Each structure stands twice: as C-alpha cells, then as structure tokens.
Amino acid sequence: MTVHHGFQATMTAQPGKADELIELLLDAPSLPHPDCVVFLVARSATDRDVVHVIEGWTSAEAHSAFFAGEQAQALVAKLQPLLAGDSTYTDAVPVGGKATF
C-alpha cells in the first residue's frame, strides 16, 4: 500500500500525564484502519512529557474521513485534557524504513 498523506504531530502532555497519553494513542482506532499504513508513537529522550506521533495514510481524504468519525472524535476528546497546549503538526509523508518492537 502506498502512503500519499502523512504528518508528524508533537504533543506536550500535562506534567505526569505522558504515560496515559501514550497508552491512549497506542490504543487508537486508526491502528487497525486499512488506510492508516504508518502509525508510530515516540517519546522525547530529553523531555518525558513530549510525545511524537508519525502517521502515514493512503490519502488525505481517507485521513479526513476517519477523523470525522465518532471513534476518532471520542479519542480526541479523551486526549485533550491530557495536553498542555496545542499540538504542532509537520508535513511528513513516510517513504520507507523499519520498525521492530
């Protein structure tokens, strides 16, 4: 499957809430979604409250349609109280690599 749309999101959790934020992200409904080809969650090595998410989707339309749905909106509602401010987004379309956990 080819990735045509993607981004990197950087989120800063409320102090002491990063583990909960990461847990919610790793249980995200996009993980089994067939149009979500890449979904990686990372934590900053220097600031444990900073969390990065890298997503790759088959299209911008598939991403938008997914996030307009009830499951995604429910996830966003759970994430919001854990965040200290707005997340930042950077245009990034994954093109390859390796992830082994």
Side-chain angles (χ1 to χ4, degrees):
M1 211 172 260
T2 303
V3 177
H4 294 284
H5 174 74
F7 60 89
Q8 176 178 319
T10 300
M11 306 171 197
T12 301
Q14 296 281 352
K17 296 292 185 178
D19 288 340
E20 191 175 345
L21 175 63
I22 290 168
E23 185 177 329
L24 283 173
L25 289 167
L26 290 176
D27 288 337
S30 58
L31 292 177
H33 194 283
D35 289 308
C36 183
V37 181
V38 176
F39 189 92
L40 297 173
V41 178
R43 175 180 244 156
S44 169
T46 57
D47 185 344
R48 294 195 48 83
D49 291 330
V50 175
V51 177
H52 303 282
V53 177
I54 299 169
E55 292 190 32
W57 289 76
T58 57
S59 69
E61 295 79 16
H63 176 253
S64 293
F66 171 76
F67 272 94
E70 286 182 35
Q71 283 185 313
Q73 290 302 308
L75 174 64
V76 169
K78 289 179 185 176
L79 295 175
Q80 288 303 319
L82 302 176
L83 299 176
D86 293 332
S87 301
T88 60
Y89 294 86
T90 303
D91 177 31
V93 179
V95 295
K98 178 181 176 181
T100 304
F101 299 97

